[in-house]
Amino acid sequence: MERIPILRMGRLLLVTIQVDMHDRLAMALQEDLTTRIVKDRANGVLIDISALDIVDSFIGRMISDTAAMAKILDAKTVLVGMQPAVAITLVELGLALEGVRTALNVELGIKMLEQRD
């Protein structure tokens, strides 16, 4: 099964989703990411979804659940690069993505993560 790479940048983890997400890939990413947060003692996670044109309810919940797990592990999550159609779909599905901060691009997302509350 394919995996989504997780890159370490200091105490931050960067995930760039460049393929269409399916349920098994999303679950594998969630497991890989939570494992890496602990292993690398990461305090921030940046998830770049700029390549995603559509997000279904399962993927939206997976992002929200992953952010909740990261928070329990003392890491903030910022979602960047959301396409307007994805934002519209998430709102129409009623997914609030609680615990997930958003930024327009990777640069702004990193700045948000570096401003530790």
Side-chain angles (χ1 to χ4, degrees):
M1 180 174 77
E2 62 185 313
R3 295 294 237 228
I4 295 176
I6 301 170
L7 305 174
R8 182 177 175 195
M9 296 174 34
R11 300 245 357 242
L12 304 179
L13 297 176
L14 172 63
V15 178
T16 303
I17 301 171
Q18 297 293 318
V19 296
D20 287 332
M21 293 287 284
H22 52 79
D23 294 358
R24 285 190 303 174
L25 183 59
M27 295 304 294
L29 174 60
Q30 188 175 69
E31 184 178 329
D32 293 346
L33 191 53
T34 53
T35 299
R36 287 288 302 273
I37 290 169
V38 173
K39 178 183 171 208
D40 295 338
R41 297 182 183 182
N43 62 13
V45 176
L46 186 101
I47 303 173
D48 179 6
I49 62 166
S50 57
L52 294 182
D53 293 326
I54 57 170
V55 171
D56 64 17
S57 61
F58 181 82
I59 302 302
R61 275 194 319 275
M62 185 278 309
I63 291 169
S64 182
D65 290 349
T66 301
M69 291 173 196
K71 184 176 182 179
I72 290 170
L73 297 171
D74 197 31
K76 292 192 302 186
T77 302
V78 175
L79 188 66
V80 301
M82 188 179 305
Q83 301 293 329
V86 171
I88 291 167
T89 301
L90 291 175
V91 170
E92 287 176 348
L93 291 172
L95 296 173
L97 297 182
E98 292 187 32
V100 181
R101 298 173 124 185
T102 59
L104 292 176
N105 58 45
V106 172
E107 183 180 357
L108 294 173
I110 289 172
K111 285 181 183 178
M112 287 177 78
L113 289 171
E114 289 175 341
Q115 297 172 349
R116 189 88 175 147
D117 299 286

